[in-house]
Amino acid sequence: MQDDIGTLLRSFLNTNLRSQTQRRIRDFGGYEIGKRRKPEVVDAIAADAADFLCTYLDIKANGRPATREGVAFAIAQALRNVSDELAYRLTWRDDQAWREVCESVAVFLEGCLAFDRKPYDGSLTARSDYNGWKSWEMIISGERPKGKWRHAWKEKPGDDFIGFDGDACMGRIFKIDLTGSDERWYWLISADGSPRLGWPAAGYEASARSAACRVERIYFALVAGEGRVLVG
């Protein structure tokens, strides 16, 4: 089922890990099988994934709330278990390899942590004007994405897209049913280690169009070095 917590965990891992920069993926996978891999990049990837999982999931270790550092440590351990051959296949944009990695990380995490959905309290509604944005930041009705958006999984088109500005990955949008009603689209800005300049890295919108526009607005602001301006 789409709202099953295991499916949700795997979707989040897929979204975050595949949105890592090409340099990080290359450093993780190497330039040949087992050659020129940079193990130090694992901690950066794991920390980014932990931030995302902890934002949207209730995570416990031994019945107590897990820290982001603890979740990052577990993710890093799982990533270090990925074989040289499988890691190298990630650099080919091999969909099957990504599925295998996400599955192995999910299984590892499920062995040491407990996951659940965070209670929905209405604070993150799909409507842009109720989503923490100021009036001048709302996505207007006629706004359309300018970049190129393609299905995340070539052989399995669905409600999951990656946006590109030329060869640069801007971010990802995907739909998951958390409440049983209303359409909600997650958006996630591609992480490259750059300062966020006050912009959020992830959130919700009411439609795929709005989510894609939100990603592009933030992405191009970051490229231009423009920080988020909040008044009042």
Side-chain angles (χ1 to χ4, degrees):
M1 294 178 59
Q2 195 175 35
D3 61 350
D4 174 77
I5 190 59
T7 300
L8 194 59
L9 171 62
R10 285 158 176 79
S11 295
F12 284 165
L13 284 171
N14 171 59
T15 296
N16 185 267
L17 295 178
R18 294 195 72 173
S19 70
Q20 297 293 315
T21 64
Q22 192 60 37
R23 168 171 281 186
R24 281 187 177 178
I25 294 170
R26 176 62 72 182
D27 287 346
F28 179 70
Y31 288 78
E32 293 180 44
I33 296 177
K35 300 293 181 64
R36 296 175 63 186
R37 295 187 67 187
K38 296 183 179 179
E40 60 271 19
V41 77
V42 167
D43 289 331
I45 295 172
D48 188 62
D51 281 343
F52 189 58
L53 293 184
C54 289
T55 297
Y56 295 109
L57 294 175
D58 180 18
I59 308 175
K60 289 185 170 61
N62 299 318
R64 296 183 178 182
T67 64
R68 293 186 183 228
E69 293 77 12
V71 175
F73 179 81
I75 294 172
Q77 290 295 100
L79 290 174
R80 290 189 177 98
N81 289 337
V82 174
S83 70
D84 287 344
E85 181 180 1
L86 181 55
Y88 181 58
R89 284 169 55 199
L90 300 181
T91 67
W92 310 347
R93 300 181 182 271
D94 184 327
D95 285 345
Q96 180 60 35
W98 279 109
R99 277 195 294 273
E100 291 177 25
V101 168
C102 290
E103 179 63 21
S104 66
V105 174
V107 169
F108 185 95
L109 295 181
E110 289 170 333
C112 56
L113 299 168
F115 296 87
D116 200 356
R117 293 183 297 275
K118 284 191 174 180
Y120 181 72
D121 61 4
S123 62
L124 289 173
T125 132
R127 292 178 58 184
S128 299
D129 53 339
Y130 289 172
N131 224 358
W133 300 104
K134 300 298 184 180
S135 60
W136 61 86
E137 297 176 312
M138 290 169 54
I139 303 297
I140 60 177
S141 60
E143 190 170 345
R144 293 290 183 270
K146 299 180 177 64
K148 294 181 179 180
W149 290 84
R150 65 173 177 80
H151 288 288
W153 303 103
K154 296 178 183 177
E155 76 281 10
K156 189 180 179 182
D159 296 328
D160 194 338
F161 300 87
I162 300 175
F164 290 89
D165 172 32
D167 292 329
C169 175
M170 296 184 291
R172 192 185 195 100
I173 63 172
F174 60 102
K175 184 171 72 171
I176 289 182
D177 181 10
L178 290 179
T179 65
S181 63
D182 297 333
E183 186 174 273
R184 300 206 195 300
W185 282 79
Y186 283 88
W187 55 264
L188 174 69
I189 301 299
S190 182
D192 62 0
S194 300
R196 295 256 66 88
L197 303 179
W199 296 102
Y204 297 93
E205 287 292 339
S207 67
R209 177 191 64 81
S210 294
C213 288
R214 180 66 66 196
V215 166
E216 292 187 0
R217 278 197 188 184
I218 296 176
Y219 168 81
F220 287 118
L222 291 172
V223 168
E226 299 173 356
R228 188 181 181 195
V229 178
L230 298 176
V231 180

